[in-house]
């Protein structure tokens, strides 16, 4: 009988934990856990182990405005962000994730925080004149990108052979593959491309996203579990007041974020319906 009671108590505890919303965690005094991969300049840990980067700084400012200061970072690989959020290993994805319909089926997003395009790191001078996915296909170039990145599907949709697509854990491996000649193109978000090219200025260049005529402009949002929609509404209210404020401008300008990246009025609900 005692064993049965223990089992029932354990099941009730598991059920309680699994049903816990983010609002309930906060009310209980528990930390809000930010989940992200180590991807500069979007989200990473500084030398003191504190969360920093464009999306972390942006999100933390908004949480502070909401009166939330108990925050913890949780580091994982990019491909583990959505599974980790759904498994409640952390509460918010701050990795700089594009709002895509395939992702909207699994998680909830805040309203967009900015609009961006993909870009490529290429050999110095961009000798094959690659600026868009059709250019990659034209040159039959080997393309490297990260596991779970939308760039894989973009390359496939453009018609690039599966044998020419290389998937690696993240930016460090993408940089190495292009530098070492194992790939001719590294596909990443534009800000990531700028950062990576700075690591090897004598050997790498960045494509011009303005010449990427086939690309849809992508919008980044903060990721939440679907059951935390009540919190997302509060976050969006705080974000609307933060967007374009002096505090925001001073916080994000060092990462290259400018007015050109401001959301242009499109709603997350509309982006989630895009195919």
């Amino acid at each position: 009988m005692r064993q049965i009671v223990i089992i029932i108590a354990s099941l009730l505890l598991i059920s309680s934990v699994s049903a816990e919303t983010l609002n309930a965690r906060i009310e209980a005094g528990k930390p809000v856990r930010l989940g992200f991969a180590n991807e500069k300049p979007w989200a990473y840990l500084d030398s003191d182990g504190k969360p920093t980067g464009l999306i972390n700084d942006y999100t933390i400012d908004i949480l502070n405005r909401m009166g939330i200061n108990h925050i913890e970072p949780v580091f994982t690989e990019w491909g583990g962000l959505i599974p980790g959020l759904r498994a409640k290993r952390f509460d918010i994805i701050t990795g700089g994730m594009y709002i895509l319909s395939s992702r909207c089926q699994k998680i909830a997003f805040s309203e967009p925080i900015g609009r961006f395009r993909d870009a490529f790191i290429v050999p110095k001078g961009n000798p094959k004149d690659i600026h868009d996915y059709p250019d990659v296909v034209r040159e039959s170039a080997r393309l490297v990108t990260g596991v779970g990145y939308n760039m894989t599907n973009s390359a496939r949709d453009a018609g690039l052979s599966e044998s020419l697509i290389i998937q690696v854990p993240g930016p460090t491996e993408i940089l190495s593959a292009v530098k070492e000649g194992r790939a001719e193109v590294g596909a990443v978000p534009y800000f990531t491309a700028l950062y990576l090219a700075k690591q090897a200025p004598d050997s790498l260049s960045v494509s011009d996203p303005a010449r990427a005529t086939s690309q849809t402009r992508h919008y980044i949002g903060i990721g939440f579990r679907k059951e935390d929609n009540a919190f997302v509404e509060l976050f969006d209210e705080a974000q609307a007041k933060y967007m374009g404020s002096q505090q925001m401008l001073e916080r994000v300008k060092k990462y290259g974020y400018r007015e050109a990246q401001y959301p242009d009025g499109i709603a997350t609900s509309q982006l989630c319906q895009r195919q």
Side-chain angles (χ1 to χ4, degrees), residues 1-271:
M1 175 63 79
R2 184 171 180 273
Q3 288 181 327
I4 294 175
V5 171
I6 292 174
I7 291 172
I8 291 174
S10 298
L11 290 173
L12 289 173
L13 178 60
I14 292 171
S15 175
S16 175
V17 170
S18 64
E20 184 181 52
T21 64
L22 182 49
N23 277 333
R25 279 186 62 84
I26 294 168
E27 290 172 4
K30 297 178 181 179
V32 173
R33 300 163 297 176
L34 308 182
F36 54 92
N38 187 33
E39 298 202 10
K40 297 180 180 180
W42 303 100
Y44 57 99
L45 295 174
D46 66 15
S47 57
D48 296 323
K50 295 180 180 179
T52 190
L54 171 59
I55 311 299
N56 273 335
D57 287 358
Y58 181 101
T59 304
I60 290 170
D61 269 359
I62 294 175
L63 292 175
N64 289 166
R65 281 179 167 229
M66 296 170 69
I68 299 167
N69 300 291
H70 193 185
I71 297 167
E72 287 184 1
V74 179
F75 173 77
T76 187
E77 291 187 350
W78 179 269
L81 287 173
I82 289 178
L85 178 70
R86 298 179 74 185
K88 299 204 170 184
R89 289 194 286 273
F90 42 85
D91 307 299
I92 302 176
I93 293 177
T94 56
M97 188 168 279
Y98 289 165
I99 303 171
L100 304 174
S101 60
S102 58
R103 292 172 177 163
C104 293
Q105 294 171 21
K106 300 173 182 177
I107 65 173
F109 280 100
S110 69
E111 291 302 324
I113 74 168
R115 49 182 177 164
F116 307 86
R117 276 185 171 156
D118 298 346
F120 306 121
I121 55 170
V122 292
K124 188 71 175 180
N126 198 356
K128 294 190 175 184
D129 198 31
I130 291 175
H131 299 280
D132 205 351
Y133 291 100
D135 299 335
V136 180
V137 176
R138 180 196 70 219
E139 297 295 328
S140 296
R142 295 186 305 277
L143 178 145
V144 62
T145 191
V147 174
Y149 284 27
N150 69 286
M151 293 80 183
T152 302
N153 287 334
S154 295
R156 288 171 179 156
D157 292 345
L160 189 64
S161 169
E162 196 71 36
S163 64
L164 294 174
I165 301 173
I166 304 167
Q167 295 186 65
V168 296
T172 300
E173 294 81 7
I174 293 171
L175 176 63
S176 295
V178 179
K179 282 180 62 178
E180 296 167 6
R182 290 182 283 112
E184 296 145 299
V185 177
V188 290
Y190 180 56
F191 281 8
T192 304
L194 292 177
Y195 172 78
L196 293 178
K198 287 180 181 178
Q199 311 312 304
D202 296 331
S203 60
L204 296 179
S205 294
V206 178
S207 66
D208 182 359
R211 294 177 61 182
T213 56
S214 78
Q215 283 190 40
T216 299
R217 191 182 296 273
H218 294 293
Y219 294 77
I220 284 178
I222 310 302
F224 300 86
R225 286 183 290 274
K226 286 183 175 290
E227 58 264 37
D228 287 325
N229 276 323
F231 183 88
V232 178
E233 289 181 9
L234 297 174
F235 185 92
D236 283 337
E237 289 177 8
Q239 178 178 230
K241 297 175 182 177
Y242 179 68
M243 178 63 66
S245 67
Q246 190 62 37
Q247 180 187 9
M248 173 190 159
L249 295 175
E250 291 177 358
R251 176 71 90 164
V252 303
K253 65 182 179 182
K254 63 183 176 181
Y255 300 111
Y257 186 110
R258 299 291 184 268
E259 287 189 21
Q261 276 81 47
Y262 280 12
D264 52 9
I266 192 167
T268 291
S269 58
Q270 294 171 280
L271 294 169

